[in-house]
C-alpha cells in the first residue's frame, strides 16, 4: 500500500532554516590559507633580523601538530562532502556563486546538530592552524628547517588555488571539493617539510 502525501512529507515538517553553509566553509578555507602562507617564507624569511626572539617551541612538535591540523581539515572537508544538502549547495542553489545568503536550506534536527558540531571543530582548527603555521614559519626563519624551494612552491600553488576560489566566486560545491583536494595536498607538503628538519 502506498503512503499518503502527508506521510511522505512528515520528515520535512520539523525543519528549520539553517545558518549559511558558507559561514562554515569560509573559515575552513581560511584555515587552509593560514597553512599555505608558509609559501611566503621562501622570500620574506631572507630578511630576518638576528636579534629577534627565538621560539621556545620545539620544531618537531610544531611540524607534528601542523600535520595533525592538515589531517583534521581534510576530514572536515570530507564531512562537508558527505552532507551536500547542508554544506555543498545541493538543490536549487547548486549553480549559485560563492556568496552569503543564497545557499541556506531548511534542515532537520540531526543536520542542525551536525552544523553546530562542525562549526565548533572548524573554529578550533582555525586557531590551531594559524598557531602551528606561525611556529613552523618561525622555525624556517631560524634555520631549523631547510627545505628546497620546490616545497615552498608547492605551498604557493595551493595558495593560488584558494585565491581562485575567492576571486572566481565558484559554486559552493566546487569550493568544498577544491578545499578537500588542497587539504590532502597540504598533508603531503607538511610531511615533506618534516624531512628537512635539522637534527631529525
Amino acid at each position: 500500500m502506498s503512503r499518503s502525501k502527508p506521510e511522505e512529507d512528515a520528515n520535512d515538517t520539523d525543519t528549520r532554516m539553517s545558518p549559511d553553509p558558507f559561514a562554515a566553509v569560509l573559515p575552513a578555507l581560511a584555515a587552509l590559507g593560514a597553512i599555505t602562507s608558509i609559501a611566503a617564507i621562501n622570500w620574506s624569511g631572507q630578511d630576518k633580523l638576528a636579534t629577534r626572539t627565538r621560539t621556545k617551541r620545539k620544531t618537531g612538535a610544531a611540524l607534528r601538530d601542523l600535520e595533525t591540523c592538515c589531517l583534521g581539515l581534510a576530514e572536515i572537508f570530507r564531512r562537508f562532502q558527505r552532507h551536500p544538502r547542508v554544506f555543498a549547495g545541493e538543490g536549487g542553489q547548486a549553480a549559485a556563486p560563492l556568496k552569503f545568503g543564497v545557499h541556506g536550506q531548511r534542515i532537520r534536527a540531526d543536520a542542525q546538530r551536525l552544523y553546530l558540531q562542525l562549526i565548533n571543530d572548524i573554529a578550533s582548527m582555525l586557531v590551531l592552524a594559524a598557531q602551528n603555521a606561525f611556529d613552523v614559519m618561525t622555525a624556517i626563519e631560524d634555520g631549523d628547517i631547510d627545505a628546497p624551494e620546490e616545497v615552498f612552491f608547492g605551498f604557493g600553488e595551493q595558495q593560488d588555488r584558494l585565491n581562485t576560489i575567492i576571486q572566481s566566486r565558484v559554486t559552493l560545491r566546487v569550493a568544498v571539493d577544491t578545499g578537500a583536494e588542497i587539504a590532502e595536498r597540504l598533508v603531503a607538503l607538511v610531511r615533506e617539510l618534516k624531512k628537512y628538519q635539522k637534527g631529525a
Side-chain angles (χ1 to χ4, degrees):
M1 183 175 174
S2 64
R3 293 187 301 169
S4 67
K5 182 71 173 167
E7 288 174 335
E8 288 175 356
D9 293 341
N11 286 337
D12 293 324
T13 56
D14 189 24
T15 60
R16 300 279 184 183
M17 191 67 191
S18 65
D20 199 307
F22 190 32
V25 174
L26 184 60
L29 292 171
L32 295 176
I35 297 167
T36 63
S37 62
I38 288 171
I41 291 298
N42 192 38
W43 297 276
S44 65
Q46 297 171 7
D47 301 327
K48 61 187 179 185
L49 296 172
T51 55
R52 78 189 177 294
T53 306
R54 288 179 62 92
T55 181
K56 293 185 175 73
R57 190 168 181 210
K58 291 187 177 177
T59 301
L63 284 165
R64 185 180 59 247
D65 290 348
L66 187 62
E67 180 184 0
T68 300
C69 278
C70 293
L71 290 166
L73 285 163
E75 175 56 26
I76 282 169
F77 278 94
R78 281 193 293 269
R79 287 159 73 188
F80 287 156
Q81 290 174 318
R82 286 195 298 266
H83 302 280
R85 180 171 169 77
V86 184
F87 295 107
E90 189 177 78
Q93 297 84 11
L98 209 55
K99 182 180 177 182
F100 286 111
V102 297
H103 297 288
Q105 299 192 49
R106 296 189 70 82
I107 57 175
R108 293 192 297 273
D110 57 339
Q112 294 165 27
R113 286 191 296 274
L114 170 70
Y115 183 96
L116 293 174
Q117 181 184 24
L118 260 169
I119 285 287
N120 221 8
D121 294 345
I122 293 162
S124 298
M125 203 58 66
L126 179 56
V127 172
L128 292 171
Q131 181 62 60
N132 292 322
F134 177 80
D135 288 345
V136 168
M137 291 163 78
T138 299
I140 294 166
E141 279 196 309
D142 289 345
D144 296 333
I145 300 169
D146 188 18
E149 281 191 339
E150 290 74 21
V151 178
F152 297 101
F153 291 151
F155 283 100
E157 286 168 7
Q158 303 316 305
Q159 194 173 57
D160 286 343
R161 294 181 74 190
L162 286 171
N163 286 333
T164 299
I165 289 173
I166 304 301
Q167 292 162 356
S168 303
R169 293 183 62 209
V170 299
T171 64
L172 192 58
R173 183 62 195 234
V174 169
V176 166
D177 289 345
T178 305
E181 293 170 9
I182 292 170
E184 292 290 350
R185 181 68 184 123
L186 289 176
V187 172
L189 285 166
V190 172
R191 286 175 177 166
E192 190 68 16
L193 269 184
K194 288 169 77 174
K195 296 177 184 177
Y196 298 99
Q197 178 190 348
K198 290 186 177 177

